[in-house]
Amino acid sequence: MTVEENLPPARRAGGEHRRMDSRDAGSAARDIERYAALFAQRTRVMTSSAMRDLMAITERPEVISLAGGLPDTSTFPAETLAAVMSRVAADSSARALQYGPTEGMLSTREGIARVMAAEGLDVDPGDMIVTTGGQQVIDLVCKTLLDPGDVVVAEGPTYPGAVPTLSSYQADVVQIGMDADGMRVDELEETLDRLEREGRRPKFIYTVPTFQNPAGVTLSLPRRRRLVEVAQQREIVVLEDDPYGMLRFEGERLPKLMELDGGQFVIYAGTFSKILSPGIRLGWAVAPRPLLAKLNIGAQASTLCPSSFAQLFVSAYLDTGHWEGYIDGLRDLYRERRDVMLEALAEELPPEATWTRPAGGLFVWVTLPEYLDTTDLLARALTHNVAFVPGRAAYLDGRGASEMRLNFSGSSSDDIREGVRRIGGIVREQVELYGTLTGRVVPEPHTEPEPRTDLADVLELPRRRSDDGRRDAR
Amino acid sequence: MTGARRVAVLKGGRSLERQVSLVSGGRVEDALQRLGHAATGIDVGHDLVERLREVEPDIVFVALHGEGGEDGAVQELLEALGIPYTGPPPAACAISRDKAITKHLLRDAGIPTPDFLVLSETTFKELGAAAALADIGERLGFPLVVKPARGGSAMGVRFAAAADELPGALVAAFSYDDKVVFERHVAGRELAISVLGGAALPIVEAVPHASDAYDFEARYTIGRTTFHCPAQIDAAQAAEAGELAVRVCELLGLSACARVDLLLDDEGTPWVIEANAIPGMTETSLLPQAAGAADIGFDALVERILLLAPNA
């Protein structure tokens, strides 16, 4: 099926769309057998088909979707876009239309080094390749390091977009639990010991240490240090995926794993998707040279080179000097939306629910009572025109059934409030129904939840209380 | 064949089976074009009537699944507009969409269907039916299948191996409908029998991979289920099951084109589970597979369905 079929009618190019191919009209039974024999093993991705069908409906225009991971690109000034494009056209039109080096143009890599310098990092453009989005870095690392069946260690929950990538390289993914301080590094060490005993040596650890997608939590400094030590001692690569690092709403910046590692085992993945535009499709990797050379060969095989036009656009845009101000604006916008979401969650969700409180990024992770299934809940939510990502999408081992990811960057404050109100209504209804079915006493509203020790910090939650009014959302 | 016709293909919509329907509808459009008809796909939404007035179709091909398309709603609208359409009339759609009503009709007609009970959300909320859950379990026996009365494919369908699994399964099922069917679980071979023009097509047997035996999701997912068409059962059994499927379709008013799902237990009894008024037309759907096994190619199948439409 074509992508266009997924779009609501309003977003179509206009006119009745007609496919140009005229496929063989042979019997369907023959078709299936013919293709089924051709599909590679790696295409047997185990994503729930129900979930895929449900997610398709979230794209309808009347649905308030807290399911996406979209930055808000509507605040980017159109005149800046026009000016930068004109400049690319005037100064370098032939280059913009031409192939470029696989590792990316030097001017772009120098620009990326300037962006990283704004975070206090000193990176040599020679230690870097430019990629087609941060997503390609994940793909290239898998391509470079994994044979079918190789073990990859990831957070649980992990970035849902990495799941199909890891699956397509037939990775054996082992997921490590998280708490308010990010990945449980003690659990990681136990798991690595166990894997070693079983003779399964992981090739790399995939982590989003800062404002994690989907959990919204951040790996603490002690754990960052320990994770890097563990990787060095055991000689395991760490893929540090860092799309949100610059979207910090409060608190002090923590050193990146790459800084702590000093160029030994950490591959760093950055992207312009969340600080400029995901439509530009430009990301980058910083890696130790031997790894970088292999990533480069992989990139050559898959895309030849990143888009020259996009690179020149980014270089020219960075030259305007507006970019830091733009990111400041995004931070303010997303901080406000996060506050709205946290406040709405405190008002709308029943006491049995818990959620994280991100200090940056795009997502809040909600945990509902174990008897609720968020895939079924999504079906119900869609009848109320609201959507989220069911937790199962963030696991490869079937966990996450009662969890969900909510995005606050891509919707207006009003939509966030209304969306959470609708979700809260359904959750309360289902909690109550379960209480009725089990004969349990339905908990009184407005009672404080039992503190969960594993998410202690996270659970210092803003809740509506009658005595002192609304607690400060921060 | 009445020559080239203007056909509007209704697909998509806002049901949970939107995605499957888009694929079904797209393939049907392609087939209609190849057959020389003028096909226009309509993703069903608020502007449906407007779009139909623009297209002025001679006939509508209904490729909608689930709520809105398979429950008779769109068919009623087409009746009102006086436009001929493929597939069953409103009442037959509404009946087969509802597993509870379907099963009642089957049982009343003496057609074997696994023992069942139907309860609504209101019964639990207002009449204290939770206290009767143990009795339900005792009456039907575990494991039980709990499913929304009007649900699509595997959505919201759960096994409950014991009484304490019932509340969770019920909350899941009630996410899709306010009426839930408790069904005794029948272990057996899964057969799908497509009926076209009042006759049964070759039977498709779905064999889920061992580890997925209790995973409804795995059903009909390529790679997790193996399909055999024709089913590897003896000819007498196949004929009996085929006749039964035709009877079911006659009973429910689905004789033109439908799919009946049943389970063949170890004693050779075919248990009817449900009937689908608008079977899928995707690459992996069972009706096109069955038609293919009867040497009816996809285009020929589409043409047959078109010709079977009343008043067309």
Side-chain angles (χ1 to χ4, degrees):
Chain A
M1 83 167 330
T2 65
V3 172
E4 184 154 281
E5 276 171 317
N6 284 317
L7 296 178
R11 281 197 252 162
R12 287 200 187 165
E16 190 46 43
H17 131 87
R18 201 53 279 134
R19 270 190 227 84
M20 297 305 289
D21 60 334
S22 116
R23 278 167 291 180
D24 173 49
S27 109
R30 254 197 344 263
D31 277 357
I32 296 165
E33 280 169 22
R34 192 170 63 204
Y35 295 127
L38 298 175
F39 290 138
Q41 285 289 332
R42 64 175 167 275
T43 63
R44 296 188 174 181
V45 190
M46 300 285 281
T47 334
S48 142
S49 58
M51 203 192 304
R52 261 182 290 134
D53 289 349
L54 293 175
M55 294 313 289
I57 310 173
T58 67
E59 292 161 12
R60 293 182 68 90
E62 66 271 28
V63 173
I64 295 178
S65 181
L66 306 177
L70 306 186
D72 189 335
T73 49
S74 70
T75 58
F76 193 86
E79 53 275 21
T80 308
L81 183 70
V84 173
M85 300 230 293
S86 306
R87 202 180 132 198
V88 171
D91 295 354
S92 38
S93 128
R95 276 181 77 209
L97 301 175
Q98 194 51 271
Y99 293 113
T102 301
E103 66 274 19
M105 294 175 179
L106 182 60
S107 64
T108 308
R109 285 181 284 129
E110 284 169 350
I112 291 168
R114 288 212 302 282
V115 171
M116 296 188 78
E119 286 198 274
L121 293 136
D122 180 16
V123 178
D124 180 345
D127 290 331
M128 187 190 297
I129 61 167
V130 183
T131 58
T132 303
Q135 187 77 20
Q136 196 190 5
V137 180
I138 305 173
D139 187 73
L140 290 176
V141 170
C142 289
K143 187 190 263 197
T144 304
L145 299 182
L146 296 186
D147 290 314
D150 276 351
V151 176
V152 174
V153 177
E155 289 142 340
T158 190
Y159 164 47
V163 170
T165 313
L166 293 164
S167 299
S168 70
Y169 286 96
Q170 293 161 277
D172 176 3
V173 181
V174 178
Q175 293 184 267
I176 307 293
M178 292 203 284
D179 60 22
D181 288 332
M183 190 198 293
R184 295 264 313 271
V185 178
D186 54 341
E187 189 182 322
L188 170 72
E189 290 185 69
E190 285 163 23
T191 305
L192 292 175
D193 288 341
R194 175 174 62 81
L195 289 170
E196 197 176 308
R197 285 195 302 274
E198 294 166 1
R200 298 153 74 202
R201 182 166 175 269
K203 290 289 185 70
F204 71 94
I205 300 167
Y206 173 68
T207 173
V208 184
T210 310
F211 317 134
Q212 202 244 12
N213 179 0
V217 296
T218 294
L219 192 67
S220 68
L221 183 57
R223 287 195 189 170
R224 283 176 191 241
R225 293 193 200 285
R226 186 61 197 150
L227 173 58
V228 169
E229 275 170 22
V230 167
Q232 290 176 345
Q233 282 162 7
R234 302 187 186 230
E235 305 199 329
I236 302 169
V237 165
V238 176
L239 173 54
E240 176 180 30
D241 190 3
D242 187 34
Y244 318 107
M246 295 188 93
L247 297 175
R248 177 177 281 280
F249 309 146
E250 61 225 359
E252 288 298 304
R253 187 185 84 86
L254 294 175
K256 300 191 190 296
L257 301 178
M258 177 184 64
E259 292 173 82
L260 298 171
D261 174 56
Q264 297 186 65
F265 286 95
V266 174
I267 300 175
Y268 176 88
T271 177
F272 286 104
S273 292
K274 306 302 187 294
I275 55 173
L276 167 58
S277 147
I280 290 282
R281 303 306 310 126
L282 228 53
W284 67 90
V286 181
R289 294 273 169 115
L291 284 168
L292 195 69
K294 282 284 190 193
L295 296 178
N296 199 350
I297 292 166
Q300 196 172 3
S302 62
T303 52
L304 286 181
C305 65
S307 158
S308 299
F309 181 83
Q311 292 183 79
L312 288 166
F313 178 91
V314 164
S315 300
Y317 172 68
L318 295 176
D319 285 346
T320 64
H322 293 323
W323 62 277
E324 286 183 275
Y326 181 65
I327 297 172
D328 288 342
L330 288 179
R331 253 183 235 123
D332 291 343
L333 185 68
Y334 296 167
R335 183 189 298 113
E336 184 191 316
R337 289 178 178 177
R338 176 209 55 182
D339 290 347
V340 166
M341 179 169 279
L342 292 178
E343 197 176 302
L345 286 168
E347 292 188 5
E348 302 294 345
L349 286 194
E352 292 85 348
T354 60
W355 55 90
T356 58
R357 205 192 143 286
L362 312 184
F363 305 107
V364 172
W365 187 251
V366 179
T367 303
L368 299 177
E370 34 71 37
Y371 52 82
L372 293 186
D373 184 307
T374 51
T375 307
D376 299 317
L377 195 78
L378 175 60
R380 184 81 161 204
L382 285 167
T383 66
H384 296 264
N385 286 329
V386 61
F388 51 82
V389 174
R392 279 202 191 88
Y395 291 88
L396 289 95
D397 53 14
R399 282 187 288 167
S402 58
E403 295 160 21
M404 65 166 96
R405 188 189 79 176
L406 300 178
N407 166 270
F408 53 77
S409 61
S411 302
S412 70
S413 292
D414 284 350
D415 278 356
I416 291 170
R417 216 172 275 122
E418 178 58 22
V420 172
R421 193 187 65 77
R422 293 181 197 172
I423 293 169
I426 300 160
V427 172
R428 286 199 307 271
E429 206 176 88
Q430 297 209 329
V431 167
E432 200 177 315
L433 177 61
Y434 188 82
T436 309
L437 291 169
T438 49
R440 276 187 196 178
V441 183
V442 180
E444 289 291 310
H446 310 308
T447 50
E448 287 293 314
E450 285 291 307
R452 249 177 76 177
T453 47
D454 58 333
L455 281 173
D457 290 349
V458 186
L459 284 176
E460 201 210 330
L461 296 173
R463 272 202 183 278
R464 194 168 55 185
R465 292 208 299 201
S466 47
D467 52 355
D468 61 354
R470 209 171 55 227
R471 265 151 70 176
D472 185 2
R474 309 213 171 164
Chain B
M1 169 106 193
T2 52
R5 288 196 277 177
R6 202 173 318 159
V7 188
V9 179
L10 303 192
K11 60 179 181 177
R14 52 166 312 150
S15 87
L16 298 178
E17 289 155 276
R18 169 180 173 75
Q19 205 58 16
V20 180
S21 167
L22 286 172
V23 179
S24 288
R27 295 190 80 222
V28 168
E29 273 174 74
D30 288 349
L32 289 167
Q33 294 283 2
R34 286 190 297 262
L35 290 161
H37 300 293
T40 306
I42 299 178
D43 186 350
V44 173
H46 300 296
D47 59 348
L48 174 60
V49 173
E50 212 176 296
R51 292 294 313 274
L52 285 170
R53 293 211 163 111
E54 270 166 38
V55 176
E56 293 185 331
D58 301 317
I59 182 167
V60 161
F61 195 110
V62 183
L64 292 165
H65 306 310
E67 199 181 340
E70 216 162 351
D71 61 3
V74 152
Q75 289 79 0
E76 294 275 14
L77 180 63
L78 293 168
E79 295 276 348
L81 296 171
I83 306 173
Y85 56 88
T86 63
C93 288
I95 290 168
S96 59
R97 170 90 180 129
D98 189 321
K99 295 181 183 82
I101 297 177
T102 301
K103 285 177 68 78
H104 277 296
L105 287 175
L106 293 173
R107 186 157 67 185
D108 292 352
I111 293 170
T113 188
D115 197 8
F116 68 102
L117 288 164
V118 181
L119 287 175
S120 71
E121 204 171 332
T122 319
T123 326
F124 286 101
K125 281 183 175 167
E126 289 170 20
L127 301 178
L133 277 178
D135 304 77
I136 291 171
E138 207 167 297
R139 152 84 192 277
L140 298 173
F142 288 102
L144 273 179
V145 182
V146 179
K147 48 178 129 178
R150 286 156 295 195
S153 52
M155 289 178 190
V157 182
R158 298 287 170 84
F159 275 99
D164 62 352
E165 291 180 18
L166 282 174
L170 280 166
V171 172
F174 282 132
S175 299
Y176 300 84
D177 196 1
D178 54 12
K179 199 162 70 168
V180 158
V181 178
F182 298 77
E183 192 178 57
R184 184 175 66 83
H185 174 243
V186 173
R189 303 170 69 171
E190 293 184 28
L191 307 180
I193 308 180
S194 299
V195 172
L196 185 66
L201 293 172
I203 299 172
V204 181
E205 179 176 6
V207 184
H209 294 176
S211 60
D212 290 330
Y214 285 88
D215 181 355
F216 283 98
E217 276 284 326
R219 251 168 239 204
Y220 313 133
T221 302
I222 281 201
R224 298 178 70 184
T225 294
T226 308
F227 298 97
H228 300 288
C229 186
Q232 293 157 333
I233 53 177
D234 72 57
Q237 268 184 335
E240 191 197 333
E243 275 166 36
L244 184 66
V246 170
R247 238 182 99 204
V248 169
C249 287
E250 279 166 4
L251 176 72
L252 303 176
L254 301 173
S255 294
C257 174
R259 196 188 79 229
V260 176
D261 294 343
L262 45 82
L263 285 162
L264 187 66
D265 73 12
D266 294 342
E267 274 98 62
T269 307
W271 297 91
V272 178
I273 305 298
E274 62 175 271
N276 297 275
I278 304 178
M281 296 289 272
T282 70
E283 287 86 345
T284 56
S285 295
L286 303 176
L287 168 63
Q289 282 192 61
D295 277 329
I296 304 170
F298 189 77
D299 292 3
L301 173 64
V302 168
E303 186 72 35
R304 280 293 296 283
I305 295 173
L306 208 57
L307 289 171
L308 284 164
N311 313 316

